[in-house]
Amino acid sequence: MSLFTGSGVAIVTPFNEDGVDFKKLEELIEWHIDQKTDAIIICGTTGEASTMSEQERKETIKFTVDVVKGRIPVIAGTGSNNTKAAVDMSRWADGIGVDGLLVITPYYNKTTQRGAIEHFKAIASAVTKPIIIYNVPSRTGFNILPETLFELSKIDNIVAVKEASGNISQVAEIAQLCGDNLDIYSGNDDQVIPIMSLGGKGVISVVANILPKDTHDMCQLFLQGKYKEALKLQLNMIQLIKALFIETNPIPVKTAMNLMGMKVGHLRLPLVDMSPKNLEILKKEMINYGIKLA
């Protein structure tokens, strides 16, 4: 049984002068549920977890669980390049009722493939909830290999990988090696349909922050065997997705939400406002897609 199928939103964290804007976060969660988003991924990269204090992350995860009340799965980002910190955070999240954990591969200090196996084993043995491994070499400097995922897929509660390597050949190899023992989610919005065609279950999405219904529909159409309609939605989104990654995520998506009047607040340093040139490109692609600017 998959943790979820379809569109899981890597939700932004709205900030105000006092910290996390919980009133706005509740609004966003209710909007996503209304728009048929299939899961909420809280305190991930798009949620700027790396510039949130431990207390802020815990409050934000707990708040999300309390607001969602089991209506759709809540998956908490609990990873770290410090194995003990990842174990502690994962154990805490497990205890407050999240449905799953998104755990990034070790970054900066990186490790070997064998070290990655030990890192994930340590986390998995400390929790009961299902774990999605997050592979994003462009940010971590570390690529978890298909053979490594095959070893990890033998652990009962390691159930999926969010694959953001951009390497479709690697995704095919993971699918071939791991089969039904490991679900695959696209970590790249421009590769949802290609990855689903290799057996992927859906996406953990950035674009779903502004197009929740379309992202859900794209995945559902594919799952229903309506491949042409799903592909059409994927291709229609391509230029907008490109604009959403013209600067480091989540700079453009948070900017886009504010342009739509969603008032999700500022970015935290070291992330800064978009350059004027890139801002114009983003606005143009939003308008071309049919998104109304506030």
Side-chain angles (χ1 to χ4, degrees):
M1 181 71 178
S2 300
L3 191 44
F4 76 93
T5 56
S7 171
V9 65
I11 199 167
V12 303
T13 305
F15 295 124
N16 57 26
E17 313 71 49
D18 302 321
V20 177
D21 184 343
F22 288 106
K23 187 170 181 292
K24 178 56 67 176
L25 180 58
E26 183 171 5
E27 264 178 47
L28 292 177
I29 291 166
E30 292 297 344
W31 180 61
H32 275 289
I33 291 171
D34 183 57
Q35 293 287 305
K36 303 287 188 279
T37 290
D38 299 290
I40 303 276
I41 292 80
I42 189 76
C43 287
T45 310
T46 309
E48 295 176 84
S50 55
T51 49
M52 293 168 74
S53 69
E54 186 183 326
Q55 186 186 346
E56 281 182 321
R57 283 163 66 202
K58 285 182 171 178
E59 286 174 357
T60 303
I61 292 165
K62 177 79 168 68
F63 181 84
T64 303
V65 169
D66 291 345
V67 169
V68 172
K69 292 189 186 74
R71 288 175 287 172
I72 58 174
V74 173
I75 298 154
T78 57
S80 172
N81 62 337
N82 169 348
T83 304
K84 185 183 181 304
V87 165
D88 291 348
M89 190 66 171
S90 299
R91 192 182 274 138
W92 174 85
D94 189 5
I96 59 106
V98 299
D99 298 283
L101 308 167
L102 181 69
V103 183
I104 197 162
T105 55
Y107 46 87
Y108 186 66
N109 51 1
K110 306 197 288 188
T111 184
T112 59
Q113 296 295 317
R114 189 165 64 81
I117 290 171
E118 294 306 317
H119 174 79
F120 284 107
K121 265 188 183 170
I123 298 163
S125 66
V127 298
T128 58
K129 292 288 170 18
I131 290 170
I132 303 174
I133 291 171
Y134 182 17
N135 187 39
V136 58
S138 64
R139 282 189 185 262
T140 62
F142 177 82
N143 180 44
I144 195 161
L145 295 175
E147 298 80 6
T148 307
L149 287 169
F150 173 66
E151 287 306 315
L152 288 167
S153 72
K154 295 172 186 174
I155 298 166
D156 284 350
N157 59 333
I158 293 181
V159 301
V161 61
K162 176 186 176 185
E163 242 300 322
S165 66
N167 182 343
I168 290 290
S169 300
Q170 176 165 292
V171 176
E173 199 175 339
I174 294 164
Q176 181 264 316
L177 278 174
C178 300
D180 292 338
N181 282 335
L182 197 75
D183 286 344
I184 303 171
Y185 296 103
S186 178
N188 292 326
D189 284 320
D190 59 353
Q191 293 185 342
V192 183
I193 297 306
I195 285 176
M196 289 185 79
S197 76
L198 290 167
K201 301 293 184 185
V203 62
I204 294 177
S205 173
V206 174
V207 73
N209 279 285
I210 58 171
L211 298 176
K213 180 90 168 48
D214 288 2
T215 313
H216 162 84
D217 288 352
M218 172 174 64
C219 295
Q220 288 309 314
L221 286 165
F222 189 94
L223 292 165
Q224 290 161 11
K226 296 175 180 172
Y227 306 125
K228 277 190 176 170
E229 294 97 318
L231 179 60
K232 188 176 182 216
L233 279 172
Q234 173 79 90
L235 296 178
N236 283 351
M237 283 184 198
I238 290 292
Q239 292 307 318
L240 178 59
I241 289 164
K242 202 169 156 188
L244 287 178
F245 291 91
I246 201 166
E247 290 185 13
T248 305
N249 176 49
I251 296 171
V253 73
K254 227 172 180 183
T255 305
M257 292 171 82
N258 285 330
L259 287 169
M260 290 163 73
M262 295 171 86
K263 297 181 179 165
V264 293
H266 59 278
L267 295 140
R268 282 189 172 172
L269 282 168
L271 301 186
V272 292
D273 292 342
M274 289 184 82
S275 73
K277 181 184 164 204
N278 288 337
L279 179 60
E280 287 314 307
I281 293 168
L282 176 63
K283 282 181 181 171
K284 177 172 151 280
E285 293 305 340
M286 289 173 74
I287 291 163
N288 285 349
Y289 192 86
I291 295 168
K292 287 190 173 69
L293 305 189

